[in-house]
């Protein structure tokens, strides 16, 4: 296992339940090289400003009716969205808001400690796998040398599961247009093919029809992959 430590910010409304759960999750996730960042602020800080300086690779939102109404939690969520880092929901009380239902979520309502501990490895794996893909996607910029972007695109294809690549389909298509290297484009197209979703097929159809032959071959193979899955 790659022992790089990833930092996951815990977004929550202060309560006895949230603090107890946060401490338990932090101790368990640490074993899987995920550092849970809890309340990284000083009393009296301007929260909106301080939040901008907090580095984190992912966000875990402990969802209750109170946390959903919390201004501080909404600032944390909007910061995570702006940075495009992976966001995960853990439902503690109430119901899941409609706008969060597409995010990867866990229903922790009423779970005992033993059952919760059994779910932690899956949470750690979800965080690590998605943060790894997110970091690779950030390398896909035109300013990087072609060999850097090609290696990142290859690693995305090789490391990304069908599910994760489906989640990142829109970002992969956007990066395809940003990076002109045909080798990189070839592997990004294949990653969309591996995603295998209707959205991925639509995005492949919207990529430039006139391009380097190797990039176009990637699109052809990707569409063929999706066709075989269907």
């Amino acid at each position: 296992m790659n022992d790089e430590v990833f930092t996951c910010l815990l977004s929550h409304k202060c309560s006895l339940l949230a603090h107890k759960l946060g401490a338990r999750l932090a101790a368990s996730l640490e074993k899987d090289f995920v550092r849970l960042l809890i309340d990284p602020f000083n009393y009296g800080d301007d929260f909106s400003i301080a939040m901008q300086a907090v580095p984190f690779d992912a966000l875990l939102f402990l969802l209750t009716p109170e946390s959903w109404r919390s201004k501080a939690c909404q600032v944390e969520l909007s910061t995570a969205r702006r940075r495009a880092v992976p966001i995960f929901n853990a439902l503690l009380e109430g119901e899941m808001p409609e706008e969060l239902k597409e995010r990867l979520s866990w229903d922790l309502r009423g779970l005992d400690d033993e059952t919760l501990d059994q779910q932690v490895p899956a949470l750690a794996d979800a965080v690590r796998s998605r943060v790894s893909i997110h970091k690779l996607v950030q390398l896909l910029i035109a300013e990087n040398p072609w060999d850097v972007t090609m290696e990142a695109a290859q690693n995305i294809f090789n490391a990304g599961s069908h599910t994760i690549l489906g989640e990142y389909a829109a970002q992969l298509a956007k990066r395809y247009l940003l990076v002109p290297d045909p080798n990189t484009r070839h592997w990004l197209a294949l990653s969309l093919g591996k995603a295998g979703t209707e959205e991925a097929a639509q995005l492949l159809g919207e990529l430039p029809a006139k391009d380097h032959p190797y990039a176009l071959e990637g699109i052809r193979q990707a569409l063929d992959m999706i066709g075989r899955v269907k």
Side-chain angles (χ1 to χ4, degrees):
M1 174 186 285
N2 184 342
D3 59 0
E4 180 182 359
V5 177
F6 295 144
T7 299
C8 184
L9 176 65
L10 183 71
S11 180
H12 66 289
K13 179 68 174 177
C14 290
S15 69
L16 181 61
L17 175 61
H19 288 160
K20 179 182 177 182
L21 179 59
R24 191 174 187 88
L25 286 174
S28 298
L29 288 170
E30 187 177 9
K31 301 172 186 175
D32 289 311
F33 304 100
V34 175
R35 175 187 174 226
L36 197 62
L37 190 60
I38 304 175
D39 297 327
F41 307 103
N42 298 314
Y43 180 77
D45 285 347
D46 184 316
F47 183 80
S48 296
I49 295 176
M51 185 65 224
Q52 308 313 311
V54 177
F56 58 93
D57 301 307
L59 182 139
L60 176 61
F61 184 32
L62 295 188
L63 182 59
T64 65
E66 291 75 23
S67 66
W68 184 240
R69 293 193 296 266
S70 166
K71 181 179 179 181
C73 290
Q74 289 299 326
V75 169
E76 290 169 336
L77 278 171
S78 63
T79 301
R81 292 189 187 107
R82 186 167 59 254
R83 297 181 187 180
V85 302
I87 298 174
F88 308 92
N89 302 311
L91 182 61
L92 298 186
E93 297 175 354
E95 301 297 330
M96 187 70 67
E98 194 66 32
E99 51 264 61
L100 294 183
K101 288 184 177 179
E102 292 186 1
R103 300 284 185 179
L104 192 61
S105 303
W106 284 266
D107 189 346
L108 303 183
R109 292 174 294 184
L111 292 188
D112 57 36
D113 289 345
E114 181 179 357
T115 305
L116 176 64
D117 287 343
Q118 292 172 354
Q119 296 204 17
V120 169
L123 172 59
D125 180 68
V127 171
R128 293 186 58 79
S129 58
R130 283 161 178 80
V131 169
S132 295
I133 296 297
H134 172 73
K135 286 179 175 290
L136 290 170
V137 169
Q138 303 314 300
L139 295 174
L140 299 173
I141 56 176
E143 292 78 9
N144 275 338
W146 71 268
D147 56 329
V148 172
T149 60
M150 182 186 70
E151 183 178 10
Q154 283 181 313
N155 288 336
I156 288 171
F157 175 78
N158 290 324
S161 67
H162 157 83
T163 300
I164 295 176
L165 293 177
E167 294 171 10
Y168 277 84
Q171 290 192 49
L172 295 177
K174 180 179 179 181
R175 297 289 173 158
Y176 182 105
L177 298 175
L178 290 177
V179 180
D181 171 55
N183 302 284
T184 303
R185 288 186 165 191
H186 177 89
W187 286 102
L188 289 177
L190 291 182
S191 293
L192 288 170
K194 188 175 178 181
T197 62
E198 291 186 8
E199 179 190 19
Q202 180 179 346
L203 290 167
L204 283 164
E206 295 172 355
L207 296 179
K210 293 183 178 180
D211 204 340
H212 189 282
Y214 193 52
L216 295 178
E217 176 61 16
I219 294 176
R220 188 197 66 76
Q221 291 182 24
L223 290 171
D224 187 50
M225 290 167 65
I226 294 176
R228 289 200 303 270
V229 171
K230 291 181 178 180

